[in-house]
Amino acid sequence: MVELVIFVLMGSGALAGGVTVVMARNPVRSAMGMLGSLVSLAVIYVVNLAHLVAAVQVVVYAGAVLTLFLFVIMFIGVDRAEDTSETIPLQRKLVAGLALVVAVGAAVLVWRGRFSWTPAAAESVPIPNGTVQALGGELFTTWVLGVEITALLLTIAAVGAIALAFYRRSGKASAEK
Amino acid sequence: MIELPTEALWLVIAFPLGGALLLHFAGRWLGEPLAGYLASAASLAALAVAAVAAVPFFTGEGHPSQSLLWEWMPAVGASFEISWDPLSALMTLVVTGVGSLIHIYSVGYMHGDPRFARFFTYLNLFTASMLTLVLAGNYAMLFVGWELVGLCSYLLISFWFTRPSAASAGKKAFVVNRIGDFGFLIALMLIFSTFGTLSYTGVFDRAAQELSGWAPTIIGLMLAAGAVGKSAQIPLYVWLPDAMEGPTPVSALIHAATMVTAGVYVIARSAPIFELAPVASGVVAAVGAITALWAATIAIGQSDIKRVLAYSTISQLGYMFLAVGATAYVAGVFHLMTHAFFKALLFLAAGSVIHAMGGRQDMEEMGGLRKAMPVTFVTMGVGVVAIAGIPPLAGFWSKDEILSVVFNQGGWYTALWLIGLITALLTAFYMFRQFVMVFLGKPRWPEGVTPHESPRSMTVPLVILAILSVAGGLVNTPFRLGLEHFLEPSFEGVRLGHPPEGVGLVLVLAALAVGAGVVGAAMAFFAYHRPPEAWRRFQSGFGKLWGWWENAYGVDDAYGAMLVTPGRRLSEQTAFGVDMKVVDGAVNGVAWLVQATGRLIRPAQSGLVRQYGLWFGLGLVALLIWILVRGVA
Amino acid sequence: MLEVTPGWYMTLAAALFVLGLTGVLVRRNALVMFMSVELMLNAVNLTFVAAGRAAGVLDGQVAVFFVLVVAAAEVVVGLAIIVAIFRRRETASVDELAALRG
């Protein structure tokens, strides 16, 4: 019962946020919609026993990533209202068709799948509990190599971002003085 | 007595070849007289080596021998090997001897030409090529020399290539020769497929066993086709009169020492094959006889001093063909030798006259040059008498031997003999006509021409050649068959045609030949030792015939209409029709197709990333649906 | 009494995914396109979490963790590129970046 209420509330919140992202003409509003969507999803994660993921979602996504987005929006200029008329012929119609096909296809697949939660009778299987301990143990044992590689990826991304930021036409990458 | 080993004979080719190479690179630096002297020295050195090497054959102690220089294509019996026997020795001596004199003469004749050194480069290369041809020990090397001779003739005939007529004459010589070369190549392939080798010894030793049926006839005819091209016989003689466009020493070299004699040499060299092919021999003889008469009549109608000599050469080569076709190989080679002497003499003398007349070649503008250039007058007179067959000069002995051998063959060869006899009369007629028109009578020189005797370097070769023209015939007289014994080792096992046995018959035949010559000479003298108006009357007496002779029977025009014009039209069609429309059309069509396709699908690359994303999504969904409907497997 | 089965979550995820897809393909502001991509990633994350819970394993959450990290890296580089382009071209509209038009 509680789950149903949360699903309905947070689900509609996430959808509303998504619609705002897509529809808002001002990028700042899109960012706000994004924020709503992310937070709603974080709540849903909690219901789905993924506590750590929910926390990371709020801290990293809603906190860091979205702040970065907002920063760039401010940098580029907030007042640039976008012209919403479509210039590419047939683009909107085809996108609508594609969206429809994907949505209908996904719905058909999901409901034909008749997914259900793991039966409680299987006592040997602990209900996954996304605590820091449980997830951390999993990440640093079974998936340790993946963690290292993503760490490397993050480093590369950081270096790349800095290189892009300080790129000069002469091709020299040097810190600003 | 120095015994020169056959192994050293490569020097004979090496001297002129080295001279050509040296002059090619350093000729301009060596400058005018020096380049000529060097070339002459190279030619003389070759002559000296050849003469020393030929001594054993003169003393009767020599044996034919081969020396391998290096392997080329051993599988086909083709290598650079020198074959040294009396025949090649004689040819080498004629080529280097007459060639050397022409070299020396050219030093004077080419004086002041801007491409003086280049001329001697070509002369030396020409000599080297001809020596390669005659010294070859197999058909492959012979063919190398054969083609090099063709190349050199092209280079020399169109030496003054800025004149369009010279350039086209060189082209004509090359193309016409090519037709004959085609037959020659076929002959070489047939020889190789029959014998599995191209070497002389390999072919000739087994000719009698291996060749049967029509094989020798076909090989013989194909060899003859090549020879007809090189030696300017009907129907491929048209290039030779045009070869006059080259400098006169070149004409002398081509006509006398090198090039045209190659055909006769090849037939004489291939005597063992022709012996098995009487039909081919007969064809050669008939072609020779008809060419002799045909060219002699044309020579009568010419007024260009060099053209008379050119047709005379064709006619005399006809005699040689007649001889080798009648298996009188010795007589043919004998006439080749004597002809080399007196034709070189005539050409060089003509060159001297042209030189004196400031480049004019029309005999109508000459006359009375007797006093102006006495040396040329006397030496050319000797040449004219020699070619007319008046004893005891060289031409008499060789021509008489040919005619008597042909007569002795009997059968339809008697008809050929008759043609030869008539030709002898015509030969004397046109040569004396020329002599009278040029040297006797009153001067008809145009304004401003003051003929003078040529320089020493030109007259000395004339004198030497005149002496040779007088005495050259004595090497082979019915009284002393020197040349026949000399050449014996080369024609071992070949049945040679002989003159009749009876002394009386020989004398009658000789008297007939001499009579023909004397009558022809007398007719020319009486017809032309008169004012020009009288000639015209005499010439108009022949009616239309004279026009034909003057026009060389219109053969050039006929070939032009039959072959050249259609060929040109075909080329034009190919160039402007096939190439521009079909080939270029196909190329442009492909380009157009690519362009059109590009124009059609270019909008796909809009540069709009959103559109790309849409296509990507649509494709992905289509693929997913496909997989879900079909199943993964 | 309605029970919320995994299918419900997945349907929600599908709806979010389609929203994001539409945003990517319709909007021409690079930043909004980026946010739409993030939306799609979140939809996938939701699927992972729900499926993981349904299967009774932690692997779904592990996958979400990796997706989060990669998304963060992508955002860093992507925004840097957008800023670089903006500095040179004074625009954030992807339609104007059509230099490769054929």
Side-chain angles (χ1 to χ4, degrees), chain B residues 108-151:
Chain B
Y109 189 87
M110 295 305 286
H111 171 73
D113 193 283
R115 292 166 73 234
F116 183 86
R118 180 49 47 96
F119 182 76
F120 283 95
T121 312
Y122 293 161
L123 276 194
N124 260 353
L125 186 62
F126 207 159
T127 312
S129 312
M130 190 64 193
L131 289 171
T132 310
L133 196 162
V134 298
L135 286 174
N138 54 61
Y139 279 108
M141 186 175 160
L142 177 129
F143 190 64
V144 170
W146 185 269
E147 290 298 314
L148 279 173
V149 165
L151 168 73

Side-chain angles (χ1 to χ4, degrees), chain B residues 541-592:
Chain B
F542 288 92
K544 259 194 187 149
L545 213 51
W546 191 271
W548 288 356
W549 294 344
E550 231 173 348
N551 250 333
Y553 295 110
V555 169
D556 268 333
D557 293 339
Y559 281 3
M562 268 163 28
L563 301 167
V564 179
T565 309
R568 185 165 296 160
R569 206 163 292 148
L570 183 71
S571 308
E572 271 165 14
Q573 281 300 315
T574 318
F576 299 110
V578 178
D579 185 56
M580 281 177 82
K581 296 216 175 80
V582 179
V583 177
D584 286 6
V587 173
N588 291 339
V590 169
W592 179 87

Side-chain angles (χ1 to χ4, degrees), chain B residues 199-575:
Chain B
S199 105
Y200 289 157
T201 45
V203 172
F204 299 152
D205 289 351
R206 289 186 286 136
Q209 295 108 56
E210 304 265 341
L211 289 174
S212 56
W214 282 95
T217 308
I218 293 168
I219 293 176
L221 283 174
M222 287 298 138
L223 280 175
V228 159
K230 252 322 160 242
S231 289
Q233 298 293 293
I234 287 175
L236 299 179
Y237 68 90
V238 289
W239 64 270
L240 194 62
D242 286 24
M244 295 296 108
E245 290 295 338
T248 305
V250 173
S251 312
L253 198 60
I254 289 177
H255 289 238
T258 59
M259 184 91 183
V260 293
T261 56
V264 180
Y265 168 77
V266 162
I267 292 179
R269 176 56 82 193
S270 310
I273 292 174
F274 278 92
E275 183 172 77
L276 302 167
V279 176
S281 286
V283 168
V284 169
V287 165
I290 294 166
T291 307
L293 182 64
W294 180 269
T297 53
I298 296 173
I300 290 172
Q302 301 302 310
S303 62
D304 182 314
I305 184 169
K306 283 171 81 179
R307 278 191 177 265
V308 175
L309 294 176
Y311 283 106
S312 157
T313 300
I314 298 171
S315 175
Q316 296 299 310
L317 285 164
Y319 269 120
M320 295 176 213
F321 262 59
L322 176 59
V324 293
T327 67
Y329 298 109
V330 173
V333 174
F334 183 31
H335 194 58
L336 188 160
M337 185 187 90
T338 57
H339 176 257
F341 295 151
F342 57 69
K343 188 47 66 71
L345 169 62
L346 288 169
F347 260 112
L348 297 186
S352 175
V353 169
I354 295 167
H355 198 69
M357 294 297 292
R360 281 172 184 77
Q361 305 191 0
D362 193 348
M363 296 193 296
E364 308 248 346
E365 295 180 341
M366 295 174 185
L369 284 171
R370 177 165 48 98
K371 293 209 179 94
M373 22 199 344
V375 180
T376 309
F377 165 67
V378 172
T379 50
M380 186 153 182
V382 170
V384 168
V385 177
I387 195 175
I390 311 288
L393 273 70
F396 162 73
W397 301 109
S398 54
K399 197 183 288 184
D400 179 55
E401 187 178 343
I402 291 174
L403 288 176
S404 53
V405 173
V406 171
F407 181 80
N408 195 36
Q409 293 281 321
W412 63 284
Y413 277 94
T414 315
L416 299 183
W417 169 79
L418 195 63
I419 295 176
L421 196 64
I422 296 166
T423 306
L425 188 148
L426 296 175
T427 307
F429 180 79
Y430 66 69
M431 284 316 301
F432 271 94
R433 169 178 176 270
Q434 178 177 45
F435 186 67
V436 172
M437 282 176 86
V438 172
F439 288 104
L440 304 183
K442 292 205 178 71
R444 300 180 298 276
W445 313 331
E447 289 286 312
V449 175
T450 48
H452 51 87
E453 187 54 271
S454 298
R456 189 68 57 85
S457 73
M458 287 164 74
T459 50
V460 168
L462 287 180
V463 172
I464 297 173
L465 283 169
I467 294 167
L468 285 170
S469 300
V470 172
L474 299 177
V475 301
N476 199 37
T477 61
F479 316 110
R480 194 178 155 275
L481 292 167
L483 189 69
E484 192 148 346
H485 291 306
F486 178 77
L487 286 175
E488 231 161 35
S490 287
F491 295 111
E492 221 166 16
V494 176
R495 265 183 295 107
L496 290 173
H498 281 288
E501 292 295 328
V503 179
L505 191 53
V506 170
L507 281 178
V508 169
L509 288 172
L512 276 173
V514 173
V518 169
V519 169
M523 279 167 64
F525 198 78
F526 289 124
Y528 282 90
H529 196 49
R530 284 191 290 173
E533 299 74 45
W535 315 344
R536 308 259 153 70
R537 250 178 286 124
F538 170 74
Q539 283 168 195
S540 61
F542 288 92
K544 259 194 187 149
L545 213 51
W546 191 271
W548 288 356
W549 294 344
E550 231 173 348
N551 250 333
Y553 295 110
V555 169
D556 268 333
D557 293 339
Y559 281 3
M562 268 163 28
L563 301 167
V564 179
T565 309
R568 185 165 296 160
R569 206 163 292 148
L570 183 71
S571 308
E572 271 165 14
Q573 281 300 315
T574 318

